[in-house]
Every structure is written in C-alpha cells, then in structure tokens.
Amino acid sequence: MPRYALLIEYDGAGFVGWQRQETGPSVQQVLEEAAARVARGAMPEVVGAGRTDAGVHAEGQVAHLDLDRALDPGRLVEALNFHLGAARIAVRAAACVPQSFHARFSAKARAYRYAILNRRARPALAMGRVWHVKHTLNLDAMRAAARHLIGRHDFTSFRAAACQAASAVKTLDRLEILREGETVLVFAEARSFLHHQVRNIVGTLKLVGEGRLSPQDIPPILAARDRSAAGPTAPAEGLTLTAIRYDPDPFA
Amino acid sequence: MPRYALLIEYDGAGFVGWQRQETGPSVQQVLEEAAARVARGAMPEVVGAGRTDAGVHAEGQVAHLDLDRALDPGRLVEALNFHLGAARIAVRAAACVPQSFHARFSAKARAYRYAILNRRARPALAMGRVWHVKHTLNLDAMRAAARHLIGRHDFTSFRAAACQAASAVKTLDRLEILREGETVLVFAEARSFLHHQVRNIVGTLKLVGEGRLSPQDIPPILAARDRSAAGPTAPAEGLTLTAIRYDPDPFA
C-alpha cells in the first residue's frame, strides 16, 4: 500500500476540530470521505499530525494515508480537492512517503500563530480569525513574560483538564510576539504541545499585556502546577496551525 | 449640524456594494440605518468616498455624515458599531470635521490592494478574499507592463461600459506588484479611478503574468481606447479599498 503525506489548509469555523466526533463534521472525516472517493474502496484512515480543536485554523496541517494503488501526487491533490467540494479545506500538496513515515509520530516540531486584533473597533474583515482585545497591549511586558516560558518546564498550569499527555513537561522552543499594524501575533513552536497549551499561554500573556499580571508573575504560575494559577484560555478562532516539521521535509 | 468623518472596514461579501440599491443590502444603507439609531431622528445620509462594487472589501473606506447633535467621536464609534449588530462592517474611527469636508470631493487619492492566490491548490482560508490563479505568474513581466500604465493616460480600454466619469483620462500614481508567500499583491493608487479600472488592469496584468500578453502589448491596448482590447475584469472578491487620502488627514 503506497503511503502519501498531505499538506492541508482549513478554516476551522464550521468543524468540530480535526478529529472525528459524534457531534458534527470534523476535518478528518471530510478528508476521509474525499479520500474514499479517490480510493474507490474502503475508506482510508487520514492520520493527522496535530489534533486541532473546534474553530482552530490550519495553514500547514500534515496527515498521512495509505491508498490501494499508486497515484501521481499532483493528481492526488487535484482529486482530493475536487471531492472536497465546497468544504473550506484545501490540500496544498501531496508526497509519496515510506511506510515508516507517520504524520504524528515522525513530527519533529509543531508551529502555531495566534492573532489578536488589538484596537477599539470590532473586527469586520478579520472576524472569526482573531481574538478582539480592545486594551492596547504592552508588547515589552508580554515579551518579558514569554522569556520565562521558553525552554523546558512543567506546563501543568497551562494544560487543559482533558489533556491526555503522559507528562506535562514540555520544551517550548519559540514564543515570539510581533505587532503588525493593529494585529498582535504570537508565534509558538515546540516538539509537541499539551491540550490548549498555546491558547492558555496566550490568555495569560494577554493579562500581562493589559498590566493585570506582571512578567514576574510567570515563574510562580509555572511553579504552582495548577491550571487556575494561569490566565483564561484564549478563544480558538485566533489560532492557526502554521507548520509541522519533519526531517526530511516530505514536501521539499 | 456637526459633521463627522468615519473610517470604515467591511467584508464585501453579502453586500450589493457601497451604494444603496433596490437589489439588496448595501454598506451605505446598513450604515445609515445604524446612524438613524444614533441620531434618533431622520436618517442621516452617509456619503462615501469610494463607491465599491458588490463583493469588494474595504479596510479604509471614508464617509461623512451630519448629526443633529454633537457627540464625542469615540462614543459615536461605539454607538455605530453597537447598532451595526452582526453586519460585517466596523467603524474604526470617527472625527469631527468642518462642513467643508466632503468624503468624496475632498479626497486627494484612493488606494487599492488586489490579492491573487497564485498556487495550484484552491483557497481555503483565503476563500472570498483572493482571485485564485493556478499558473505561476511572472512578476517581472507584470512589473514591466505596469510601468506602461503608470502616469496620465486615457484609460478607456480599462473602463466599464457603465462608467459615468466625464473623462477617461486619469493619472495612475502607483501600480506595484509584490509576492508575499503564495499571494501576489497589486497595489494601485490614483486621485480617482474609473469604474472597474483596477479590476480591468489586474485582469490584463494577469494575462501578462501568464505569458498570454507581453509588456509591449500594453501601449497599443491603451491607444486602442476600446474595452475589448484589454483583458477581462478580475473578480471583485480579490479587491480591497485600503485608504482614502485627505490633506489634512481627519483621523490623524
């Protein structure tokens, strides 16, 4: 069975998240139904690298699937996009990969971008893509707070109750904050993240940016190992999974 | 009657355009209805600087209106956004202006950005915001073509049949083309534009980028003064009105 890696973009609105659920359409389910039309047989399993939550977007999700026959990757992209119909999902690229490639377990790192629209007026063009924060954020304070979070820590205070990870110790490789016009962007990268970790970090950094927490509050929040010590979970709609990194890059 | 200038953002999808029409909701109508709730009397006329077409977006549309009483501009912004409800329109700023200020006639220049998603795969996140062009565009050729369009010309070949302007002679001050990842952006700026001028220019530049026209074809297209000599009209959804310029800037 030839295995393919897929590079996938989607608008998280209207999906219950990446993973199949009883409660509504998931990105995985819609992709598997499109893949079944291409495979013309049993529905292939589409295994994603990152299980994004309901409302979270992706520019660079990666998944793998096995097909019953060899197909030119370019034709696989065209066929999947055709069968995806009106769904707000696009397969950006496909590549033949060895059976040893696993979208989730072979991933070396995951990269996310969180967008905050930081102005008084509500969003119109960016509606559904940003967290609207009216209070002008202090980026210097947010960056000082971020420096306490970068590196290897026990992130229990930033972990959802439902998180199934064996350990809350994770290494955060990048946590950068930029202003681009009226938008504040938070870039986070790690080998792997806990459930809601990026959104809980952003919810806490936002309190720092508003002056409701200080950067010096971050070390005791980490040390507390208690979810209630950190800030609230930032809304899903501001979050985009931008890239999954592999070595070698299957799409290079 | 105190006069106010408004800085307005909207998602053009779902509107018949800026201007009031019988055929459906316009941005102007929805703003006037919100303004009537603020004015608590007769519906004020909201006069826009640029009459964007159906589907065209705006980040920096400007309009003026007269109110029956003086209101703090910040409170006017909040009140209008409140009464705009779920409409994908946001008033970004308001300013008190003299009665001599006219959103349309006082404007010194208009700036537009056109977005082309230039990749094989269809758009998912950018759906409704871009023109999807699969063929890799040659930006050098497009820039060479653009140089023939910058300056003062008779733009009859780039003018919609319905255009009501007295003269087709316009001065195009800026026509720049940039690539940003998979997106090609065309920036156009002029004191004023003919109806569909930007979209007709982009439709023609796209043929140059695909190699179906050469930059040397542009001077004869201009000289023809015939709409059928130029390329097709690019779709509305890729176009955004980014700024209207005044001297002095009412929002500075």
Side-chain angles (χ1 to χ4, degrees):
Chain A
M1 301 261 284
R3 177 163 289 191
Y4 295 88
L6 305 176
L7 182 64
I8 304 156
E9 175 182 303
Y10 48 86
D11 183 331
F15 294 107
V16 296
W18 168 265
Q19 203 160 20
R20 271 184 176 275
Q21 285 180 51
E22 301 287 309
T23 49
S26 65
V27 179
Q28 182 184 31
Q29 177 195 330
V30 172
L31 277 165
E32 287 177 348
E33 286 166 1
R37 305 288 291 273
V38 177
R40 296 190 203 122
M43 189 179 288
E45 190 188 2
V46 176
V47 179
R51 287 165 297 179
T52 54
D53 285 321
V56 173
H57 314 293
E59 286 172 8
Q61 173 72 286
V62 176
H64 75 259
L65 82 168
D66 293 326
L67 286 185
D68 47 5
R69 62 201 164 108
L71 254 182
D72 171 72
R75 291 195 53 199
L76 178 59
V77 169
E78 297 288 334
L80 286 171
N81 283 332
F82 175 78
H83 290 297
L84 283 166
R88 287 204 161 195
I89 305 175
V91 177
R92 295 174 54 189
C96 298
V97 289
Q99 278 288 329
S100 59
F101 178 90
H102 188 286
R104 186 167 163 213
F105 300 125
S106 304
K108 297 293 183 218
R110 284 138 174 107
Y112 286 90
R113 182 184 65 235
Y114 196 97
I116 296 170
L117 184 67
N118 190 28
R119 69 178 191 193
R120 294 282 306 164
R122 68 202 201 142
L125 277 167
M127 203 182 279
R129 300 290 169 82
V130 293
W131 185 16
H132 181 209
V133 173
K134 292 189 175 193
H135 190 295
T136 302
L137 294 170
N138 177 342
L139 263 63
D140 288 336
M142 292 171 76
R143 289 179 184 128
R147 281 193 286 275
H148 292 295
L149 292 165
I150 292 169
R152 183 175 161 89
H153 302 284
D154 182 323
F155 283 99
T156 299
S157 297
F158 296 91
R159 170 189 196 163
C163 181
Q164 290 166 17
S167 164
V169 176
K170 294 285 175 190
T171 302
L172 190 56
D173 295 309
R174 183 188 182 202
L175 188 61
E176 256 181 275
I177 302 141
L178 290 181
R179 190 182 292 278
E180 213 173 73
E182 298 174 324
T183 307
V184 171
L185 299 172
V186 180
F187 295 90
E189 189 164 335
R191 182 174 183 98
S192 64
F193 287 95
L194 300 165
H195 192 199
H196 284 184
Q197 188 182 348
V198 178
R199 290 165 58 190
N200 291 340
I201 286 175
V202 171
T204 304
L205 290 178
K206 178 243 192 193
L207 295 182
V208 175
E210 291 177 327
R212 293 161 64 190
L213 282 179
S214 91
Q216 293 74 36
D217 291 326
I218 301 298
I221 287 172
L222 276 170
R225 299 184 192 181
D226 175 357
R227 176 70 193 93
S228 68
T233 307
E237 59 193 27
L239 188 60
T240 301
L241 172 58
T242 55
I244 311 283
R245 306 202 197 282
Y246 299 91
D247 186 18
D249 176 357
F251 307 107
Chain B
M1 303 260 285
R3 178 163 288 191
Y4 295 89
L6 305 176
L7 182 65
I8 304 158
E9 175 183 304
Y10 49 85
D11 183 331
F15 293 108
V16 296
W18 169 266
Q19 203 160 19
R20 269 184 179 277
Q21 284 180 50
E22 301 287 307
T23 49
S26 65
V27 179
Q28 183 184 29
Q29 177 195 332
V30 173
L31 276 165
E32 286 177 348
E33 286 167 0
R37 306 287 293 272
V38 177
R40 294 189 204 121
M43 190 179 289
E45 191 188 3
V46 176
V47 179
R51 288 166 296 179
T52 54
D53 284 320
V56 173
H57 315 292
E59 284 172 9
Q61 173 72 287
V62 176
H64 75 260
L65 82 170
D66 293 327
L67 285 184
D68 47 2
R69 64 204 161 103
L71 253 183
D72 171 71
R75 291 194 53 200
L76 177 58
V77 169
E78 297 288 334
L80 286 172
N81 283 332
F82 175 77
H83 290 298
L84 283 167
R88 286 203 162 196
I89 304 176
V91 178
R92 295 174 54 189
C96 298
V97 288
Q99 279 288 329
S100 59
F101 178 90
H102 189 286
R104 187 167 162 214
F105 300 124
S106 305
K108 297 292 184 220
R110 282 132 176 113
Y112 286 90
R113 183 184 64 235
Y114 196 98
I116 296 170
L117 184 66
N118 189 27
R119 69 177 191 193
R120 294 283 306 165
R122 67 200 200 145
L125 277 166
M127 203 183 279
R129 301 290 171 83
V130 292
W131 184 14
H132 181 209
V133 173
K134 291 188 175 192
H135 190 295
T136 302
L137 294 170
N138 177 342
L139 263 64
D140 288 336
M142 293 171 75
R143 288 180 185 127
R147 280 194 288 274
H148 293 294
L149 292 165
I150 291 169
R152 184 176 161 89
H153 301 283
D154 183 323
F155 282 99
T156 300
S157 298
F158 296 92
R159 170 189 195 163
C163 182
Q164 292 166 15
S167 164
V169 176
K170 295 285 174 188
T171 302
L172 189 57
D173 295 310
R174 184 188 181 203
L175 187 61
E176 258 181 90
I177 302 142
L178 291 180
R179 188 183 292 279
E180 214 172 70
E182 298 173 323
T183 307
V184 171
L185 299 172
V186 180
F187 295 91
E189 189 164 334
R191 184 176 181 96
S192 64
F193 287 96
L194 301 166
H195 192 199
H196 284 184
Q197 188 182 349
V198 178
R199 290 165 58 192
N200 291 340
I201 286 174
V202 171
T204 304
L205 290 178
K206 178 243 193 193
L207 295 182
V208 175
E210 291 176 328
R212 292 160 64 191
L213 283 178
S214 92
Q216 291 74 34
D217 292 326
I218 301 298
I221 288 172
L222 275 170
R225 297 182 196 183
D226 175 357
R227 177 69 193 93
S228 69
T233 308
E237 59 192 27
L239 187 62
T240 302
L241 172 59
T242 55
I244 311 284
R245 307 202 197 282
Y246 300 91
D247 186 19
D249 176 359
F251 308 107

